Amino acid sequence: MSKGKLITFEGPDGAGKTTVLEAIIPLLEKAGYQDIMTTREPGGVAIAESIREVILDVNNTAMDAKTELLLYIAARRQHLVEKVLPALEAGKIVLVDRFIDSSVAYQGSGRGLEKMDIQWLNDFATDGLKPDLTLYFDVTAEVGLARIAQNKDREVNRLDLEKVDMHYQVRNGYLQLAKENLERIVTIDASKPLNQVIAQAIATIQEKL
Ligand code: TYD
């Protein structure tokens, strides 16, 4: 049994979860939580970062949806074994930018792959490990896409090039996941001003810790 806490950050592209994650680390440290580790998927360790490059390469337009899913799952496994599990065993609070729910929302709702298959593959990759808490940053596809368009520094990846339709489906997938996992997933309205979103994220995490 792990001693730490696994907290995941989820949401459609443009929800701002990565910005919020960066902002809350110093705030959590100030509140007395010292042993925090942050990481992201896909990536976080060398093998998984290599897989990430393949997945997100804008030239890989020939990639099949199941291939895409399997690559995310492979990156998840490696990242978990090499980085997340040791940190949890050391008692750390591990904050992860994207985890199992991204596969269900993007490859399930977005790409139309069978959700039962994805859940099974997630369980296979994680040996059934579930986050202690998931913050779901909710924005409409319109708001998310408008934010991405505004952020000129953001690197464009292959999934950003998907049609608007996919962004709608991803959000619907997240809303359904949130409804089905009320004990784990807390929904945060990420269309609100950033300071309010950060405050709600911190409050939710502190309640859990
Ligand atoms: P990234 O640049 O990390 O986007 P963000 O900052 O929004 O997290 O790119 C990750 C992309 O990969 C993002 O579009 C979501 C997608 N993704 C999946 O489709 N399935 C998954 O299982 C994961 C982890 C990510």
Side-chain angles (χ1 to χ4, degrees):
M1 250 347 227
S2 69
K3 293 175 281 183
K5 289 266 184 257
L6 177 61
I7 302 177
T8 60
F9 286 58
E10 294 280 358
D13 293 82
K17 64 184 169 42
T18 311
T19 313
V20 175
L21 207 164
E22 278 165 18
I24 64 172
I25 303 161
L27 297 173
L28 279 175
E29 283 170 347
K30 237 168 86 189
Y33 303 103
Q34 291 310 324
D35 249 354
I36 303 171
M37 186 186 84
T38 62
T39 182
R40 69 158 180 190
E41 274 201 17
V45 294
I47 294 172
E49 288 290 339
S50 303
I51 298 173
R52 176 190 176 91
E53 276 176 35
V54 176
I55 303 175
L56 298 179
D57 187 337
V58 287
N59 297 311
N60 283 343
T61 50
M63 193 178 293
D64 170 75
K66 288 188 180 176
T67 307
E68 182 183 283
L69 169 65
L70 292 167
L71 287 171
Y72 278 117
I73 296 290
R76 176 159 306 133
R77 173 71 188 170
Q78 191 63 31
H79 177 240
L80 185 85
V81 169
E82 253 193 87
K83 194 164 179 185
V84 176
L85 290 180
L88 287 174
E89 266 146 38
K92 290 193 199 308
I93 300 166
V94 182
L95 308 176
V96 190
D97 194 343
R98 296 196 181 283
F99 192 53
I100 49 174
D101 301 313
S102 282
S103 297
V104 178
Y106 283 80
Q107 281 65 52
S109 301
R111 298 279 192 221
L113 295 179
E114 198 53 62
K115 289 198 184 153
M116 297 274 272
D117 290 337
I118 301 174
Q119 264 146 14
W120 184 84
L121 284 164
N122 269 333
D123 280 349
F124 179 70
T126 63
D127 299 315
L129 179 74
K130 296 277 183 305
D132 295 291
L133 171 70
T134 297
L135 302 184
Y136 164 53
F137 295 89
D138 183 49
V139 283
T140 61
E142 289 84 355
V143 170
L145 288 168
R147 285 189 186 161
I148 293 172
Q150 265 170 20
N151 185 354
K152 299 276 184 284
D153 295 337
R154 191 178 186 281
E155 202 186 317
V156 173
N157 70 46
R158 192 172 55 83
L159 274 89
D160 292 334
L161 305 177
E162 285 302 328
K163 301 192 182 63
V164 181
D165 214 34
M166 170 144 172
H167 293 269
Y168 278 106
Q169 279 151 9
V170 167
R171 180 180 185 232
N172 286 339
Y174 272 124
L175 290 174
Q176 200 183 329
L177 274 167
K179 228 191 307 178
E180 290 166 358
N181 295 276
L182 289 170
E183 71 304 334
R184 170 172 68 87
I185 304 180
V186 175
T187 301
I188 293 179
D189 179 355
S191 64
K192 293 209 174 124
L194 186 61
N195 60 342
Q196 286 181 33
V197 177
I198 292 170
Q200 206 191 329
I202 283 278
T204 307
I205 291 173
Q206 280 189 297
E207 207 171 295
K208 188 75 198 180
L209 297 174

